[in-house]
């Protein structure tokens, strides 16, 4: 197809024609949605040419691919990112100016593709963008959830969840490929390795185009949807319901497994379908199945896709008739595993009964893997008490991480500190057995979305100072260091921040009716609500600050106005997390309505934090709250988005904060709290007494009293307070004093404007390392070894 985006006039002609075809409308009377839909359909159609050219190139050059298996891809909106990467944005903007359309406004007609919970899913989305932009043949593989991450509303200050029916409107970026459907068997029983009487479900792929930046490369994210199978002879209502359910909705919980059959069905769905479609493609191209590992790496994003390991064994042995050892050689040269967590309760385990009933043949294969693994352990003289811990199957459970480590040729953590903790503590027994498998790949973010797209003000400021080369290679952004003492430049950074604050103020005002002060410090904590992330610590300090403003005139006089902004969804079953949301909402009402202090202190909890909201929040921040209990946050990526947009980190030495501080310089961050080593030592010693801290700190006593008075029933939040007093597993009380001091410090630092904007600039200038282009380059250099697509 000729490029209709070649110039303004060609595009205008095509657009008018398309609007008429699709909606029978003229420019003057099209709705916002129709304008959007017409543009999206045109872009998608145009991208087909490069998509086909990319596929042809990959086939012709017999290229190795990486299939990135992830249960989540938190994509957000795609229109702007696709327009920018494809190089169509300027032409569209000019044409729309002529039409009198606002491209920014039209962008809002697109729903977020919210196929993820948080950091893990957003990382996968950034990786797709980076791999395509680096011209690497990497393809995503996941589930086409009809309902994405729930929509959050607050009712009586409490979180309520509503379904996100994002597919009720057409999704213009996908293409259904019926002829590449895969039949998936569940249940049944095994007789001589054959699965008898399974329930068949059909997995149909929908491929979503992924556009590389300025390189004509278009890859895809393959999303599997379930439908009734023609192989299934008996189809009652119960069957049809089950089929619908499997790809119906995303599990709104990224930390605990609920032991639900449905979740395991989902995992087998995208694992088995993804593996089978790779093998079919491999064979169709005339290649020997024994060479599979030379043409594919299967990257496993956390343990959710673990089932690709026994499934690949099953296909190679049962369908391709290879011996166990031959199959194992292929598996162990093609699978690589990324670990994302050190929270013990988040390590995925499946009850044997559920597992073996749903996947009987797969369970047999894991049993055989386990038998052989125990021999390996014995041969390596692993002490007996450790053998049990390392086995693939425990007394009641199948252990997904153990399977991944045993079968993968690479096991990576997601930040330097996290990888060290894996090697030396959490997975130390495995590390001693397989030291060469372990490696680090510090997470990253795509600077195309998280700077160029969302912060055009900062983008043009940087362009004016150092040219545009940095957009191709973010490490070049370091050139900004040269301007760290240039007052004119620092004033421009400040002006950029002010303009982003104003945009956020407007949005928050429309959404919540709270008007924030543009001169205040914007202090933002946006991330999933979890005890280890310690939103509660933030809340305690806010209450303390409020009470102090009320009674300490000197403090009040020296206090620079500060806005605290939260955004977070809690898993619907996570009572403590939901309680913390309610507490912050109730506290914010008291604080925002107090005329004595509300010119100095305001608190807002934005509803329904998602990628689109994130795009407003990150660029407007002065302070980036990264206050997890040290050792608990594997990496974080929100911390990187803030840094790249000029916020200063107030945080613990955890996850990638450690590397942020190393890159930016410790003088350009505000660090507090216990170290990871200290936290680990305290857990070991087992002598923590939070009650003692409370008894000795009148500030905490006053804060608790304030919280009790938030509700008529003074015991309403007792479950939160009691937890802090008696257990406080995440050391909120232990880090309280240190955090208050850090906050006071940050408030003072902000008042030295000259040094503040220098700190801000130094954060921007040193954020180059955190581009996911760097992360993907390292994955490719060390793990995948893919060649480049040259179009
Ligand atoms: C970046 C991002 C996250 C991850 O934030 P962390 O602070 O690293 O936990 C979660 N949700 C959304 C919408 C994001 O954009």
């Amino acid at each position: 197809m000729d490029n209709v985006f070649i110039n303004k006039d060609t595009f205008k002609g095509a657009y008018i024609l398309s609007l008429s075809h699709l909606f029978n409308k003229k420019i003057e009377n099209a709705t916002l949605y129709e304008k959007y839909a017409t543009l999206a359909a045109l872009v998608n159609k145009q991208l087909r040419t490069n998509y086909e050219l990319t596929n042809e190139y990959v086939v012709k050059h017999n290229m190795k691919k990486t299939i990135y298996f992830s249960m989540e891809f938190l994509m957000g909106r795609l229109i702007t990112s696709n327009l920018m990467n494809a190089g169509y944005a300027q032409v569209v903007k000019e044409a729309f100016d002529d039409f009198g359309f606002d491209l920014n406004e039209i962008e809002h007609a697109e729903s977020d593709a919210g196929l993820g919970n948080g950091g893990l899913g957003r990382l996968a989305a950034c990786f797709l963008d980076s791999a395509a932009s680096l011209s690497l043949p990497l393809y995503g593989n996941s589930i086409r959830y009809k309902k994405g991450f729930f929509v959050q509303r607050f009712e009586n200050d409490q979180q309520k969840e509503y379904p996100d029916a994002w597919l009720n409107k057409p999704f213009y970026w996908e293409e259904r490929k019926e002829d590449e459907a895969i039949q998936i068997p569940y249940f049944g029983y095994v007789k001589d390795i054959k699965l008898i009487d399974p329930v068949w479900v059909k997995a149909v792929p929908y491929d979503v185009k992924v556009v590389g930046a300025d390189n004509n490369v278009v890859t895809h994210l393959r999303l599997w949807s379930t439908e009734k199978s023609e192989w299934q002879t008996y189809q009652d209502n119960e069957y049809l319901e089950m089929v619908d359910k499997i790809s119906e909705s995303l599990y709104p919980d990224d930390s605990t497994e609920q032991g639900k059959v449905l979740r395991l069905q989902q995992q087998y769905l995208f694992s088995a379908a993804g593996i089978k479609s790779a093998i079919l493609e491999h064979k169709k191209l005339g290649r020997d199945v024994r060479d599979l590992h030379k043409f594919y790496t299967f990257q496993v994003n956390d343990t959710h896709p673990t089932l690709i390991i026994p499934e690949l064994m099953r296909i190679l042995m049962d369908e391709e008739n290879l011996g166990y050892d031959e199959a194992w050689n292929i598996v162990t040269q093609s699978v690589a595993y990324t670990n994302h967590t050190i929270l013990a309760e988040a390590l995925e385990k499946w009850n044997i009964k559920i597992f073996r009933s749903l996947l009987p043949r797969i369970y047999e294969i894991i049993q055989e893997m386990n038998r052989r693994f125990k021999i390996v352990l014995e041969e390596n003289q692993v002490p007996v008490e450790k053998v049990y811990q390392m086995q693939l199957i425990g007394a009641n459970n199948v252990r997904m991480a153990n399977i991944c480590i045993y079968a993968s040729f690479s096991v990576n953590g997601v930040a330097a500190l996290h990888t060290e903790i894996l090697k030396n503590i959490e997975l130390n027994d495995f590390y001693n057995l397989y030291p060469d498998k372990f490696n680090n790949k510090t997470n990253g973010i795509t600077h195309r979305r998280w700077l160029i797209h969302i912060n055009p003000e900062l983008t043009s400021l940087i362009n004016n100072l150092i040219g545009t080369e940095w957009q191709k290679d973010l490490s070049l952004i370091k050139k900004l260091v040269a301007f760290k003492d240039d007052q004119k430049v620092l004033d421009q950074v400040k002006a950029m921040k002010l303009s982003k604050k104003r945009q956020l103020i407007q949005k928050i005002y429309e959404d919540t009716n709270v008007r924030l002060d543009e001169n205040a410090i914007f202090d933002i904590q946006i991330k999933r609500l979890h005890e280890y992330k310690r939103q509660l610590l933030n809340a305690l300090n806010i209450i303390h600050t409020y009470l102090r403003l009320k009674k300490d005139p000197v403090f009040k006089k020296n206090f620079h106005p500060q806005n605290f902004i939260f955004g977070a969804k809690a898993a619907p079953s996570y009572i403590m997390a939901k309680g913390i949301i309610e507490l912050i909402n109730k506290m914010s009402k008291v604080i925002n309505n107090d005329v004595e202090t509300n010119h100095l202190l305001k608190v807002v909890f934005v509803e329904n934090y998602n990628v689109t909201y994130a795009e407003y929040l990150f660029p407007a921040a002065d302070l980036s709250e990264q206050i997890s209990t040290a050792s608990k946050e594997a990496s974080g990526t929100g911390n990187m988005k803030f840094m790249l947009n000029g916020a200063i980190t107030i945080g613990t030495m955890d996850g990638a904060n450690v590397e942020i501080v190393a890159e930016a310089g410790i003088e350009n961050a505000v660090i507090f709290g216990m170290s990871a080593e200290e936290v680990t030592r305290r857990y070991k010693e087992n002598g923590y007494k939070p009650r003692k801290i409370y008894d000795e700190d009148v500030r905490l006593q006053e804060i608790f009293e304030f919280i009790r008075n938030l509700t008529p029933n003074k015991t309403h939040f007792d479950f939160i307070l009691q937890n802090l007093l008696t257990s406080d597993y995440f050391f909120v009380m232990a880090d309280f004093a240190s955090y208050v001091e850090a906050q006071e410090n940050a408030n003072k630092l902000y008042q030295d404007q000259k040094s503040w904007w220098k700190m801000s600039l130094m954060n921007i200038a040193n954020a180059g390392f955190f581009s996911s282009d760097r992360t993907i380059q390292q994955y490719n250099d060390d793990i995948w070894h893919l060649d480049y697509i040259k179009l």
Side-chain angles (χ1 to χ4, degrees):
M1 179 178 140
D2 285 339
N3 186 357
V4 303
F5 294 86
I6 194 81
N7 61 48
K8 185 175 77 169
D9 292 324
T10 311
F11 170 70
K12 279 163 76 174
Y15 187 86
I16 290 168
L17 204 64
S18 197
L19 187 62
S20 156
H21 276 163
L22 282 174
F23 299 107
N24 197 21
K25 285 276 180 78
K26 291 202 160 56
I27 294 292
E28 308 81 68
N29 41 30
T31 66
L32 198 62
Y33 178 74
E34 289 163 349
K35 292 173 190 170
Y36 159 74
T38 303
L39 177 61
L42 259 184
V43 174
N44 190 51
K45 195 166 153 204
Q46 187 66 60
L47 289 173
R48 241 205 114 72
T49 307
N50 282 341
Y51 182 53
E52 281 165 4
L53 288 172
T54 302
N55 284 337
E56 279 164 25
Y57 185 96
V58 172
V59 168
K60 184 167 158 230
H61 293 82
N62 220 5
M63 288 179 87
K64 183 182 180 184
K65 289 181 175 178
T66 288
I67 312 294
Y68 195 84
F69 282 82
S70 178
M71 204 162 189
E72 305 187 5
F73 283 85
L74 191 51
M75 303 293 282
R77 292 170 178 154
L78 298 179
I79 183 85
T80 307
S81 145
N82 284 349
L83 280 173
M84 289 174 61
N85 281 2
Y88 306 157
Q90 191 53 35
V91 164
V92 171
K93 199 191 161 308
E94 286 169 16
F96 278 15
D97 282 348
D98 286 1
F99 289 150
F101 294 179
D102 180 353
L103 182 54
N104 290 322
E105 201 187 328
I106 286 170
E107 177 187 7
H108 298 311
E110 181 169 327
S111 311
D112 270 42
L115 309 184
N117 273 285
L120 174 143
R122 185 53 234 176
L123 181 77
C126 284
F127 281 3
L128 291 180
D129 183 81
S130 282
S133 297
L134 292 176
S135 304
L136 293 172
L138 175 144
Y139 294 81
N141 189 78
S142 190
I143 296 172
R144 185 177 180 269
Y145 304 103
K146 277 187 202 66
K147 299 200 180 76
F149 198 19
F150 68 81
V151 174
Q152 178 194 56
R153 296 288 166 231
F154 296 143
E155 294 170 15
N156 298 321
D157 301 320
Q158 292 170 335
Q159 169 177 295
K160 289 284 174 301
E161 303 91 24
Y162 293 92
D164 165 40
W166 72 294
L167 278 178
N168 282 357
K169 286 190 253 170
F171 183 50
Y172 286 94
W173 312 109
E174 68 180 4
E175 184 181 340
R176 179 182 162 92
K177 293 184 182 162
E178 172 92 59
D179 55 336
E180 294 185 44
I182 307 281
Q183 303 289 344
I184 304 290
Y186 295 108
F187 302 107
Y189 63 95
V190 181
K191 202 173 159 202
D192 306 327
I193 78 169
K194 230 182 119 54
L195 190 60
I196 312 290
D197 283 345
V199 179
W200 289 100
V201 172
K202 187 163 77 172
V204 181
Y206 288 70
D207 291 345
V208 180
K209 293 183 187 67
V210 174
V211 187
D214 307 316
N215 62 359
N216 296 321
V217 169
V218 181
T219 60
H220 69 231
L221 161 60
R222 173 157 283 196
L223 299 175
W224 296 96
S225 184
T226 45
E227 296 180 12
K228 62 182 196 269
S229 164
E230 48 279 13
W231 291 17
Q232 180 65 24
T233 41
Y234 184 68
Q235 300 193 357
D236 58 1
N237 273 340
E238 199 184 338
Y239 168 75
L240 296 173
E241 251 171 53
M242 181 194 91
V243 169
D244 279 345
K245 271 250 160 77
I246 297 174
S247 56
E248 172 75 16
S249 57
L250 171 82
Y251 264 72
D253 198 328
D254 58 356
S255 56
T256 57
E257 291 311 320
Q258 306 202 323
K260 294 261 172 67
V261 182
L262 175 57
R263 172 100 173 174
L264 198 57
Q265 279 181 322
Q266 290 185 331
Q267 295 190 352
Y268 189 61
L269 170 79
F270 85 105
S271 302
I275 281 293
K276 186 74 181 197
S277 75
I279 292 174
L280 286 174
E281 176 184 71
H282 181 76
K283 291 171 73 169
K284 199 170 142 200
L285 292 170
R287 303 187 296 225
D288 191 321
V289 80
R290 288 175 184 78
D291 292 333
L292 191 72
H293 56 286
K294 295 178 187 161
F295 291 93
Y296 294 91
T297 298
F298 305 115
Q299 187 71 39
V300 173
N301 193 29
D302 214 329
T303 52
H304 317 133
T306 302
L307 294 173
I308 68 165
I309 292 162
E311 176 64 9
L312 188 48
M313 288 297 288
R314 188 193 68 75
I315 293 173
L316 294 174
M317 293 191 301
D318 298 0
E319 296 181 9
E320 301 293 334
N321 300 310
L322 302 191
Y324 184 99
D325 290 324
E326 225 177 343
W328 187 245
N329 272 328
I330 294 167
V331 170
T332 52
Q333 290 180 82
S334 55
V335 179
Y337 162 55
T338 302
N339 175 289
H340 280 270
T341 183
I342 38 187
L343 288 180
E345 77 264 22
L347 275 184
E348 203 178 12
K349 294 183 174 67
W350 286 102
N351 178 277
I352 290 174
K353 260 203 195 128
I354 291 176
F355 195 106
R356 133 186 256 176
S357 141
L358 183 69
L359 305 166
R361 177 58 186 149
I362 296 297
Y363 184 72
E364 279 188 358
I365 289 169
I366 294 174
Q367 280 183 308
E368 178 60 14
M369 283 166 53
N370 193 38
R371 190 184 68 80
R372 290 173 184 245
F373 182 45
K374 288 195 326 206
I375 295 171
V376 172
L377 294 175
E378 219 166 273
E379 283 168 358
N380 282 276
Q381 278 130 42
V382 173
V384 274
E385 68 278 10
K386 292 196 169 164
V387 170
Y388 178 76
Q389 292 308 317
M390 296 173 75
Q391 281 170 196
L392 310 184
I393 306 175
N396 297 308
N397 296 309
V398 180
R399 298 163 173 168
M400 306 302 254
N402 299 29
I403 295 173
C404 285
I405 301 166
Y406 175 43
S408 297
F409 67 87
S410 162
V411 175
N412 76 279
V414 291
L417 174 68
H418 173 232
T419 301
E420 288 309 304
I421 292 172
L422 292 181
K423 293 195 314 198
N424 301 326
I425 303 168
E426 285 310 306
L427 302 178
N428 181 252
D429 296 336
F430 284 98
Y431 176 62
N432 289 333
L433 187 61
Y434 300 122
D436 297 339
K437 288 190 183 188
F438 284 76
N439 65 93
N440 176 246
K441 297 287 168 284
T442 298
N443 282 166
I445 55 168
T446 168
H447 62 281
R448 284 167 292 277
R449 179 178 293 260
W450 295 112
L451 173 52
I452 300 171
H453 167 196
I454 67 172
N455 199 340
E457 294 87 344
L458 180 54
T459 300
S460 69
L461 201 171
I462 301 170
N463 287 344
N464 292 339
L465 295 172
I466 62 171
T468 57
E469 274 298 291
W470 64 275
Q471 300 194 15
K472 271 253 156 251
D473 172 2
L474 194 69
S475 70
L476 298 174
I477 204 171
K478 249 209 172 66
K479 291 183 183 170
L480 290 176
V481 171
F483 301 93
K484 70 181 167 49
D485 296 308
D486 184 330
Q487 193 53 50
K488 230 180 74 201
V489 170
L490 299 182
D491 287 344
Q492 288 171 337
V493 175
K494 179 179 173 169
M496 170 281 291
K497 193 57 81 177
L498 183 62
S499 105
K500 300 317 280 183
K501 284 182 185 178
R502 285 178 176 155
Q503 292 161 29
L504 179 63
I505 287 169
Q506 184 57 28
K507 171 141 181 78
I508 287 180
Y509 182 66
E510 285 161 14
D511 292 351
T512 68
N513 224 23
V514 175
R515 191 170 281 288
L516 298 175
D517 170 7
E518 67 178 36
N519 295 310
I521 300 168
F522 276 46
D523 181 318
I524 306 186
Q525 186 172 24
I526 41 175
K527 46 183 72 253
R528 284 303 294 278
L529 203 310
H530 203 289
E531 286 164 281
Y532 85 80
K533 292 179 182 277
R534 298 200 297 191
Q535 281 92 351
L536 191 53
L537 177 60
N538 189 348
L540 297 188
N541 172 66
I542 294 169
I543 296 169
H544 165 66
T545 305
Y546 170 68
L547 297 174
R548 196 163 172 201
L549 286 171
K550 299 278 285 177
K551 66 176 186 200
D552 182 345
V554 179
F555 177 74
K556 190 173 180 182
K557 187 167 149 282
N558 292 323
F559 184 77
H560 189 92
Q562 200 160 344
N563 292 322
F564 289 89
I565 302 170
F566 292 87
K569 290 179 185 173
S573 61
Y574 192 169
I575 304 296
M576 186 62 77
K578 292 178 114 173
I580 292 167
I581 290 180
E582 191 191 357
L583 190 162
I584 295 171
N585 275 329
K586 289 210 153 49
M587 147 191 118
S588 73
K589 283 188 179 154
V590 173
I591 293 174
N592 295 349
N593 289 318
D594 189 330
V595 292
E596 274 181 39
T597 58
N598 65 10
H599 57 295
L600 296 173
L601 186 64
K602 282 214 176 85
V603 185
V604 175
F605 206 129
V606 302
E607 250 174 358
N608 201 38
Y609 172 57
N610 60 9
V611 170
T612 292
Y613 222 131
E615 292 173 0
Y616 286 91
L617 289 158
F618 285 110
D622 294 308
L623 271 177
S624 157
E625 293 277 352
Q626 307 301 334
I627 60 178
S628 52
T629 312
S631 80
K632 297 297 178 191
E633 186 74 88
S635 163
T637 49
N639 45 6
M640 303 167 186
K641 299 169 200 165
F642 279 118
M643 180 193 195
L644 185 57
N645 284 277
I648 278 116
T649 303
I650 177 163
T652 49
M653 279 298 210
D654 198 18
N657 298 353
V658 176
E659 288 155 89
I660 285 177
V661 168
E663 295 288 320
I666 186 119
E667 69 283 8
N668 296 310
V670 182
I671 297 303
F672 74 95
M674 282 155 54
S675 66
E677 272 185 350
E678 224 174 316
V679 168
T680 308
R681 182 175 56 75
R682 291 253 215 148
Y683 282 135
K684 251 201 221 120
E685 286 172 4
N686 199 21
Y688 180 46
K689 299 262 182 333
R691 173 101 221 179
K692 188 160 176 284
I693 300 173
Y694 176 83
D695 288 339
E696 290 169 3
D697 193 337
V698 66
R699 297 173 301 180
L700 285 165
Q701 295 159 24
E702 287 168 0
I703 292 165
F704 277 44
E705 186 57 26
F706 175 91
I707 292 173
R708 286 192 200 98
N709 287 323
L710 280 174
T711 48
N713 167 11
K714 297 200 174 190
T715 61
H716 188 73
F717 291 118
D718 267 8
F719 68 112
I720 297 175
L721 302 181
Q722 281 308 314
N723 184 267
L724 285 180
L725 290 175
T726 57
S727 130
D728 189 22
Y729 185 75
F730 295 104
F731 296 113
V732 170
M733 306 288 269
D735 274 345
F736 172 76
S738 163
Y739 180 58
V740 169
E741 197 184 315
Q743 270 287 349
E744 246 188 278
N745 236 330
N747 193 282
K748 279 209 189 77
L749 277 170
Y750 190 82
Q751 297 180 48
D752 181 356
Q753 282 282 293
K754 194 176 148 115
S755 90
W756 182 270
W757 297 109
K758 178 174 167 179
M759 289 169 73
S760 172
L761 182 82
M762 288 299 279
N763 273 278
I764 300 166
N766 289 297
F769 179 73
F770 301 105
S771 170
S772 47
D773 291 1
R774 183 271 311 154
T775 312
I776 288 294
Q777 189 68 56
Q778 291 181 329
Y779 273 94
N780 196 46
D781 291 346
D782 300 347
I783 303 173
W784 305 333
H785 310 295
L786 305 174
D787 291 327
Y788 297 94
I789 301 162
K790 297 187 186 97
L791 291 176

